[in-house]
Structures are given as structure tokens and as C-alpha cells.
Amino acid sequence: MGKVIPEIYDALMAPLERIKFRSIRQFLIQKAEGKVLEIGSGTGLNFPYYTKAEAVTAVEPNPVMLRKSIKRIKAAQVPIEAIQADAQKLPFSDDSFDMIVGTLVFCTIPHPDIALKELRRVLKAHGTLLVFEHVRLDQPTAAKMQKWVTPVWKRMCDGCHLDRNTLANIKNSGMTIEQVHKYNSGLFLAIQAKN
Ligand SMILES: C[S@@+](CC[C@H](N)C(=O)[O-])C[C@H]1O[C@@H](n2cnc3c(N)ncnc32)[C@H](O)[C@@H]1O
């Protein structure tokens, strides 16, 4: 995993955060309650929006991202612990969490199917998954373009795929979809699913 993108991630994201993402994060994250796991927490852009969680455990494989999230951990309204770990191999026992949060992360995880299996394992029965992702578009020409661009994009953006069908992946993992909110003609989805 690269070092350049993590160093400039907050600056790169700032315009999108201002225009769109901040309000989506707030909408999704304020739902998180009980013992919460956040996967691929990056620089901690979600951390300010946790208000009801009893405690948040954040996992992030990139040490630069992890280091950059420390200031947001200190400023958070709820207790947050961040550790270096991979969502595909979580260092937690079965049924450890009430809710799991993932934002802009299923585009980058090498094997989302393996990660979803892990999430289901550590999430309690009937526990909730809250996800915000950019996804493959339904419109066939647009989806084809996303597929063509992905090999180059992936190299430039630390493994980010533009053509992931995350909603289908969550359904295929066996979880039950409870809510889907579409933004920008379905380019971005906020998804709530139940284990
Ligand atoms: C686009 S960033 C999103 C960061 C943050 N979730 C946000 O919303 O700003 C993608 C993140 O996924 C992390 N990531 C990549 N592979 C991962 C994996 N296998 N398990 C957990 N996180 C992963 C990256 O290190 C990076 O922090």
C-alpha cells in the first residue's frame, strides 16, 4: 500500500467532503450504537460523527492513515481505539460487535467477499452493517466506462475499484438489505443491512 495518497488524503477529499460526503457521513454514523467496529477507518473522517456508540474499535491496515487519525480520536465524542488490521482477517472473536461501519472501503479491499464473511463472523446475530460507497452504475454504458478506467485508476488510487457492485456483494454475503439511499444517480450508496 502506498504512502503518497495517505499523506494527502484529507486534502484530496476536502472538496468532496464539503460538497457531499460530510452530510452523508453524519446521516449514517449517527445511527451507530453499542459496540461498533469501523473497517478501513483511514484518517478518521467518520470519527467526529459518532455520538451514540458505547465504544468504537477502528481497524486500518495503512500505518500512515492510522497515524493521521490520532487527532480525530482525541477529539471524538465517544471512546475510539484504532488498530492496524485487515478487514479480511479480523483479530476479534465471533459475535463481538453490535454494529459495523465501512465508508469508501469496499472499493479498495482486495477480496470484498472474504471481508464480508469476516464481518458477518464478528457481528452479532441481527447486528447492523452501515456502509457508504461509490459503486458500479446500473446504466450499462456508464458501467462499461467504469470497468475500462478501473485498471489505471486502481494504480493511481491505492487499489480503488470504480466498478464494485457492493450492494450485490452484501446481498450475496447472506445479509438482509434494510435501507438503500442513492446519491448522484446511484454513483454513491448509503446501505443499511442486517446480519
Ligand atoms: C478511500 S480510503 C477510505 C478511508 C475512510 N474509510 C473514509 O471514509 O475516508 C480506503 C481505506 O481502506 C483501507 N483498506 C484497504 N484495504 C483494506 C483492508 N483489506 N482492510 C481494511 N481496510 C482496508 C485503506 O487503507 C484506506 O484507508
Side-chain angles (χ1 to χ4, degrees):
M1 200 166 285
K3 282 187 183 161
V4 179
I5 296 277
E7 287 292 356
I8 58 171
Y9 184 76
D10 283 353
L12 281 177
M13 294 295 281
L16 280 169
E17 292 293 331
R18 220 171 18 246
I19 297 164
K20 192 100 207 160
F21 291 178
R22 222 178 259 171
S23 58
I24 302 174
R25 290 182 194 277
Q26 191 161 22
F27 160 75
L28 200 69
I29 304 303
Q30 50 90 20
K31 297 183 187 194
E33 290 181 353
K35 283 184 73 182
V36 177
L37 170 67
E38 179 172 338
I39 56 160
S41 49
T43 59
L45 288 174
N46 291 326
F47 294 170
Y49 305 112
Y50 287 104
T51 53
K52 290 185 276 191
E54 182 189 317
V56 178
T57 304
V59 296
E60 166 55 50
N62 188 304
V64 181
M65 289 288 211
L66 211 49
R67 172 169 52 75
K68 288 189 163 276
S69 72
I70 291 170
K71 62 179 187 298
R72 295 195 174 99
I73 292 176
K74 287 184 180 157
Q77 301 170 65
V78 304
I80 300 179
E81 181 196 23
I83 60 169
Q84 193 171 3
D86 182 334
Q88 299 164 128
K89 200 172 188 303
L90 291 166
F92 309 114
S93 46
D94 298 358
D95 308 319
S96 295
F97 298 98
D98 299 298
M99 293 201 180
I100 298 181
V101 168
T103 62
L104 307 174
V105 64
F106 281 104
C107 53
T108 307
I109 291 175
H111 301 286
D113 52 335
I114 295 175
L116 280 161
K117 203 170 165 194
E118 268 296 81
L119 299 196
R120 294 204 66 194
R121 179 183 70 75
V122 301
L123 187 57
K124 291 178 186 170
H126 309 295
T128 299
L129 175 67
L130 300 169
V131 164
F132 160 50
E133 292 289 327
H134 64 80
V135 296
R136 189 172 82 196
L137 286 157
D138 289 336
Q139 208 281 330
T141 310
K144 254 186 209 160
M145 283 180 63
Q146 288 176 303
K147 195 176 169 192
W148 288 334
V149 174
T150 287
V152 177
W153 182 264
K154 209 166 64 174
R155 255 184 252 152
M156 285 165 42
C157 300
D158 273 351
C160 172
H161 296 68
L162 293 171
D163 58 349
R164 286 265 166 94
N165 192 344
T166 298
L167 183 60
N169 290 343
I170 295 172
K171 275 184 197 160
N172 293 339
S173 77
M175 297 190 94
T176 306
I177 305 294
E178 292 191 317
Q179 275 180 25
V180 181
H181 291 269
K182 289 186 178 186
Y183 306 91
N184 295 72
S185 307
L187 177 60
F188 300 103
L189 299 182
I191 303 165
Q192 181 174 325
K194 189 136 273 187
N195 201 10

